[in-house]
């Protein structure tokens, strides 16, 4: 699907109609973060169209959540399939009364892209929920091992847990990294470390955070320093695991820290994490909510690491259009039914939509395409970085598909200026511009993006 | 829609086809809690049909989540509407890029049934998430008042919260009640107190639990004792709020404790809670995840209380087919954007389905019907209670629509025996049978339910 359309901005952004619509909505629904109100009927492929008739090349993609384009015909077909209609109309309590269709919906969809070695799944509705369910599985596994197989629950455990007290409610931790983002529930937020705006005033668990490697760019120039920095962080991870005031049952890490600023680390670092977690019996949870589903040029971000043994759990959401976690060890299924449970356990309508997304990705070889397009896009950005060394800094994501980012002086202003030129682009971290094009962003869209960036940078 | 169909059980339950399907599913999806695998295409109205061809009158309704019947034609139509298809295919990040449709979807749906005095909404995807978001709103409001309007965040707050430390991550509590159920996230689970199976091994916040009134039945007989019991609990609530080791920012309560055993309290008790929470500046959160949407004979369970001023927040899910919380005080919108936020903020496809459910309920006067049917059903159960005084105990829910329950000797065995007679019925608490028929359960279905119950009780 090459770039037949073009960006077209005919009003200020947001335009007058967007502003009125926003004000109306704000009467009962907080609209302060709205960039513009969208006419999804007119949006198509890589282009998002607002109610003022402005058309933007969308390289933000609903905070990295659209894989195969607006109004993708295969998705429209799936939305009208008997599977989806039935799941919408007859929403099941999946754990008690699953549909006869559920097995195949999973098998022909999410299970087809299960990370290597992880052939079981628990479904959820958001990235936050997926991570929290993974944390719960890690805690139950930790205590199961500690308790010893076959050992029952003590009366004291049963009574105390209802009172939120030990030993039933144990002090156990999930370790996460500085600048990470893992969601906004009370457990997931306790592992999120990126920004005060997410965390302030919300009670948190006293869980440890390790430093995440602060790599220097270009990588070729700082090989030695970066290796030392990664080793320093690994040492700190191990120190925290062995010395935290209570046991660390799990470790959660993003393949690329996204909301926190598109921070990368090398496969060696992640191999080190796998080694340390195995050594100390800590469940390794890879949060692929943003990196999963192809945008790094591989289906899963952690596939870049060449691990000897897979992570214990991999969580997903966003581009999947649904959420959950994959796992391989049956011991992660708790000892009794109803421990990992809730009324809906995800949404089979969304899981069926996910199947359509997956099949579209596989049929059209979009992951391979993304790897290829990423190389070309990176080369163009490198040219801009040479042209504007003070405005395009620390270019990163080489070899990681279109999952590219750079630091600049005022990322918010750049994003705003880009919108006026018809490109919807996102930011993250402190002053980082992150590219999150869809997987259908092919080479034909590169010139429009680069031209707009060049213009904005030239006028900065 | 009268009872044209009849229950029909032709195999053991679960039947052989269900068992095989279950085993197949269990290879990658924990299926230990599955009662039977469902053929939703054949299910209709109040009847659920399994893959073995067994047809059950369903008075459990997907753990109280189906309001207007399987394959309801109005819902089938909604599922194929442009609104739903667009939302399925083009899933927005609602806080940044809402659809031009979003305002009307809310206004003509959820907002139409907003609890009195609560005309704003935040949408979510599950009851657990709805409650956690309400807790977060309560915490941010508490600190906002404490900080004083216009006071900014201190550098120390901003830094410490990222480290999960004070003062940015304060020690603040949500008070909940013994035997309550409010969900399974780390925050919501910290307020859930019903059963060890939900809580064991999961770290919890040190939040207080107050006793919930243990009323004696029949109510007419124990007026004095019950009033004293409720006063005792109110005293304990106030004592906990004023003496807990850190401030209590919110209190969460179900109008009828559901998962915890269908425990009721009088309007006087809830009026007392409203008084205490107002007096001490504690946000009162009413969890209507199970009680909301008509089954108590009023649209909202708390509408039975005749409060002088509305609760601060009311959460919903289940029959709504989506989730979220209503609120009235604009101060509950945090001081800055992005504090109460996440990528999806609910699912507009499900919110559009919710609109269809709501309009079906209103068009067909199903809440009024439920109130009327509840009276007739209660009378029949009273007759059974007189006939089997040792097996139908503490009958409760009079005047609360079809939200009826009784204690028995072995609720699990009763539920199993009922399934063999073609009635799918749920349990809760320790040995409680809970009725959760749909709102389309009219008088014509009462005989089938009562006859089956009578048979099972007679043979116990």
């Amino acid at each position: 699907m090459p770039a037949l359309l073009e960006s077209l901005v005919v009003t200020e952004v947001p335009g007058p109609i967007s502003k009125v619509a926003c004000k109306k909505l704000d009467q009962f629904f907080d609209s302060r973060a709205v960039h513009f109100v969208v006419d999804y009927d007119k949006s198509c492929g890589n282009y998002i169209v607002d109610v003022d008739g402005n058309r933007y090349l969308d390289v933000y993609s609903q905070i990295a959540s659209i894989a195969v384009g607006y109004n993708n015909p295969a998705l429209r077909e799936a939305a009208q399939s008997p599977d989806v209609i039935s799941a919408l109309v007859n929403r099941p309590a999946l754990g008690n009364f699953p549909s006869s269709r559920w097995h195949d919906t999973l098998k022909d969809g999410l299970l087809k892209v299960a990370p290597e070695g992880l052939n079981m799944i628990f479904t959820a509705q958001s990235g936050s929920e997926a991570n929290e369910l993974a944390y719960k599985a890690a805690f139950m596994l930790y205590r199961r091992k500690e308790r010893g197989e076959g050992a029952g629950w003590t009366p004291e455990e049963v009574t105390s847990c209802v009172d939120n007290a030990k030993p039933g409610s144990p002090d156990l931790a999930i370790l996460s990294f500085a600048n990470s983002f893992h969601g906004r529930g009370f457990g997931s937020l306790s592992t999120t470390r990126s920004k005060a705006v997410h965390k302030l005033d919300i009670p948190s668990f006293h869980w440890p955070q390790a430093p995440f490697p602060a790599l220097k760019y270009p990588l070729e120039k700082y090989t030695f320093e970066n290796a030392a920095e990664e080793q320093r962080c690994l040492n700190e991870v191990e120190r925290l695991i062995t010395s935290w005031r209570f046991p660390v049952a799990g470790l959660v890490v993003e393949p690329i820290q996204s909301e926190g600023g598109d921070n990368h680390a090398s496969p060696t670092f992640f191999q080190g994490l796998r080694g340390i977690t195995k050594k100390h019996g800590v469940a390794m949870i890879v949060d692929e909510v943003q990196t999963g589903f192809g945008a790094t040029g591989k289906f899963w971000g952690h596939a870049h690491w060449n691990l000897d043994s897979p992570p214990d759990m991999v969580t997903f959401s966003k581009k999947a259009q649904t959420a959950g976690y994959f796992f391989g060890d049956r011991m992660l299924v708790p000892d009794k039914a109803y421990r990992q449970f809730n009324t809906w356990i995800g949404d089979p309508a969304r899981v069926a939509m996910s199947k359509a997304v997956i099949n579209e990705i596989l049929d059209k070889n979009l992951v391979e395409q993304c790897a290829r397009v990423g190389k070309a896009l990176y080369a163009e950005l490198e040219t801009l970085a040479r042209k504007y060394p003070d405005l395009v800094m620390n270019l990163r994501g080489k070899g990681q598909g279109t999952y590219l980012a750079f630091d600049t002086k005022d990322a918010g202003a750049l994003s705003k200026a880009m919108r006026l030129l018809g490109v919807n682009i996102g930011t993250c971290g402190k002053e980082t511009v992150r590219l999150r094009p869809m997987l259908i962003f092919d080479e034909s869209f590169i010139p429009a993006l680069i031209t707009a960036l060049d213009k904005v940078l030239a006028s900065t």
Side-chain angles (χ1 to χ4, degrees), chain A residues 59-263:
Chain A
V59 294
Y60 192 30
S61 315
Q62 308 295 330
I63 321 183
S65 297
I66 303 285
V68 296
Y70 294 114
N71 288 304
N72 179 295
L75 264 59
R76 289 195 69 85
E77 203 187 314
Q80 295 169 77
S81 68
D83 273 26
V84 170
I85 293 169
S86 172
L88 280 175
V89 172
N90 307 305
R91 187 167 193 175
L94 268 174
N96 285 158
F97 306 102
S99 160
S100 48
R101 292 186 164 102
W102 182 232
H103 174 276
D104 288 355
T105 303
L106 287 175
K107 190 163 171 282
D108 302 338
L110 287 166
L111 266 295
K112 248 165 119 171
V113 294
E116 216 186 308
L118 308 185
N119 53 4
M120 284 179 280
I121 193 166
F122 197 92
T123 44
Q125 295 194 85
S126 70
S128 292
E129 192 193 5
N131 283 333
E132 299 220 343
L133 289 163
Y135 301 171
K136 289 175 73 172
F139 290 131
M140 289 188 275
L141 177 66
Y142 186 91
R143 287 287 297 126
R144 183 178 190 167
K145 286 182 179 166
E146 207 175 39
R147 209 174 263 130
E149 202 49 25
W153 307 344
T154 68
E156 202 193 349
E157 284 179 325
V158 168
T159 319
S160 59
C161 76
V162 175
D163 209 27
N164 293 3
K166 290 182 237 183
S169 291
D171 275 339
L172 292 173
I174 301 290
L175 179 145
S176 63
F177 289 91
N179 299 312
S180 61
F181 185 91
H182 300 292
R184 293 171 174 268
F186 284 84
S188 47
L189 190 62
S190 291
T191 55
T192 287
R193 309 289 188 164
S194 58
K195 287 174 193 159
V197 71
H198 310 316
K199 290 175 68 79
L200 189 71
D201 299 342
I202 312 300
S204 297
F205 289 106
H206 300 130
W207 294 348
Q209 69 169 323
F212 191 81
L215 300 189
K216 287 186 181 167
Y217 292 84
L219 295 176
E220 310 83 74
K221 200 175 152 190
Y222 297 101
T223 319
F224 178 78
E225 289 90 333
N226 287 339
E229 166 68 357
E230 292 194 336
Q231 190 55 54
R232 178 185 76 86
C233 295
L234 288 173
N235 294 347
E236 190 57 13
V237 167
E238 189 157 22
R239 192 190 67 76
L240 285 166
I241 288 173
T242 52
S243 70
W244 194 247
R245 61 185 111 159
F246 43 83
V248 174
L251 171 152
V252 63
V253 66
E254 298 156 274
I256 300 165
Q257 289 192 327
S258 303
E259 156 67 13
D262 265 38
N263 308 315

Side-chain angles (χ1 to χ4, degrees), chain A residues 262-275:
Chain A
D262 265 38
N263 308 315
H264 295 249
S266 76
T268 310
F269 174 72
F270 293 104
Q271 289 159 13
L273 287 184
R274 177 69 290 194

